[in-house]
Amino acid sequence: MNFRSGIISKSKPLSLEEVEVAPPKAHEVRIKIVATAVCHTDAYTLSGADPEGCFPVILGHEGAGIVESVGEGVTKVKPGKKISYKFSVCLESVTLLQGKGLMPDGTSRFTCKGKQIYHFMGTSTFSEYTVVADISVAKIDAAAPLDKVCLLGCGISTGYGAAVNTAKVEPGSTCAVFGLGGVGLAVIMGCKIAGASRIIGIDLNKDKYAKAKEFGATECISPQDFKKPIQEVLVEMTDGGVDYSFECIGNVGVMRAALEACHKGWGVSVIVGVAAAGQEIATRPFQLVTGRTWKGTAFGGWKSIDNVPKLVTDYMSKKIKVDEFVTHTLPFDKINEAFELMHTGKR
């Protein structure tokens, strides 16, 4: 079967090409993609800076669609069913090959003009059809709008879960969120749902403040407005430091600031943003031996297959926001424009 896909070569924009998508093998599912979101993780590989990037490749890892066909041994989904899917973080044997751009059997289901095309994170949602391992798919509510719930494949779930699962934000607490992009907004949403009484948003772009407050931020500040390091500002603002902080940028300097903005004795700082390859974090040991905790999070601590359907249910019951994260809806052939909008931060 031949379909359009957004293929990239290293450090080049996506190009729309006709790609042959092979039938699913055992324990694989072929999916008709209805909607996909763009993410900074895709942009990182697109830039050519990812040392583990395989090219040419079909990017995309936040998708939702309808099962077109299934391979031998697939029992949990059937053709015609709505699903959300994402990369697997469960089985080492699967994730190892995903990192190499291949299916679990070590081969690809994509070819273009006779040449093999690599998969991305085991998903490759920038395609009209894709093939994924059945471990990566989750059957969801048939009434769920796929152009919205595709966002639960990564960013929203990661930020929300960082607050409610990884940090376990408590009622009445004070939180600081560094970076007010989509993931940062999801962290704010999680902090508010958990009952935080004060949520401070930190970002250089003040155009993001209004949206952050809609999601639950009680105030927003820019480091550029102060002569002191932002961690010192936050310690003064909160009489000793915040209870929880979240770094949602991927900047190792900000990761340190987020930790040092926490209250000694019990403060918890969660690294959510992904730093560039080879970068390292640093702080004085004193910051940790005085009781602060430094943590990381992967997909917000959710188990994707079990929890994504529950997150969809929470969205359908209006417990969590999803629609409000969507700033632009574009046709597939304008996917490069979508990346430009993401980089400029326009809403």
Side-chain angles (χ1 to χ4, degrees), residues 126-196:
F126 295 170
S127 177
E128 292 179 325
Y129 282 75
T130 191
V131 176
V132 303
D134 60 357
I135 194 174
S136 298
V137 301
K139 186 167 62 176
I140 60 173
D141 188 335
L146 297 179
D147 61 334
K148 301 299 191 299
V149 297
C150 65
L151 290 163
L152 293 172
C154 184
I156 295 177
S157 303
T158 297
Y160 174 50
V164 300
N165 295 331
T166 308
K168 294 181 171 57
V169 171
E170 296 182 347
S173 59
T174 298
C175 304
V177 181
F178 292 76
L180 301 179
V183 175
L185 293 179
V187 171
I188 290 172
M189 176 176 71
C191 292
K192 182 179 180 180
I193 290 173

Side-chain angles (χ1 to χ4, degrees), residues 9-186:
S9 297
K10 192 170 184 177
S11 303
K12 294 182 180 179
L14 289 158
S15 65
L16 286 181
E17 306 285 350
E18 187 174 275
V19 174
E20 182 177 345
V21 184
K25 294 185 179 181
H27 296 288
E28 295 177 0
V29 180
R30 187 160 62 185
I31 303 161
K32 178 182 179 181
I33 299 173
V34 175
T36 183
V38 297
C39 175
H40 282 282
T41 303
D42 301 307
Y44 178 53
T45 299
L46 180 62
S47 71
D50 183 357
E52 297 182 356
C54 302
F55 301 93
V57 62
I58 298 173
L59 294 176
H61 64 287
E62 293 181 293
I66 299 170
V67 176
E68 180 270 336
S69 58
V70 300
E72 181 182 351
V74 176
T75 59
K76 66 179 181 178
V77 294
K78 297 178 180 179
K81 295 296 183 180
K82 284 186 177 182
I83 60 169
S84 174
Y85 58 105
K86 69 174 297 295
F87 59 94
S88 170
V89 295
C90 302
L91 298 179
E92 183 67 22
S93 59
V94 173
T95 56
L96 181 63
L97 286 165
Q98 282 183 355
K100 295 180 178 180
L102 300 171
M103 295 294 290
D105 70 347
T107 63
S108 172
R109 302 294 166 268
F110 300 127
T111 55
C112 180
K113 300 174 183 176
K115 295 183 178 181
Q116 174 181 281
I117 305 299
Y118 287 104
H119 294 250
F120 181 69
M121 299 180 74
T123 52
S124 292
T125 64
F126 295 170
S127 177
E128 292 179 325
Y129 282 75
T130 191
V131 176
V132 303
D134 60 357
I135 194 174
S136 298
V137 301
K139 186 167 62 176
I140 60 173
D141 188 335
L146 297 179
D147 61 334
K148 301 299 191 299
V149 297
C150 65
L151 290 163
L152 293 172
C154 184
I156 295 177
S157 303
T158 297
Y160 174 50
V164 300
N165 295 331
T166 308
K168 294 181 171 57
V169 171
E170 296 182 347
S173 59
T174 298
C175 304
V177 181
F178 292 76
L180 301 179
V183 175
L185 293 179

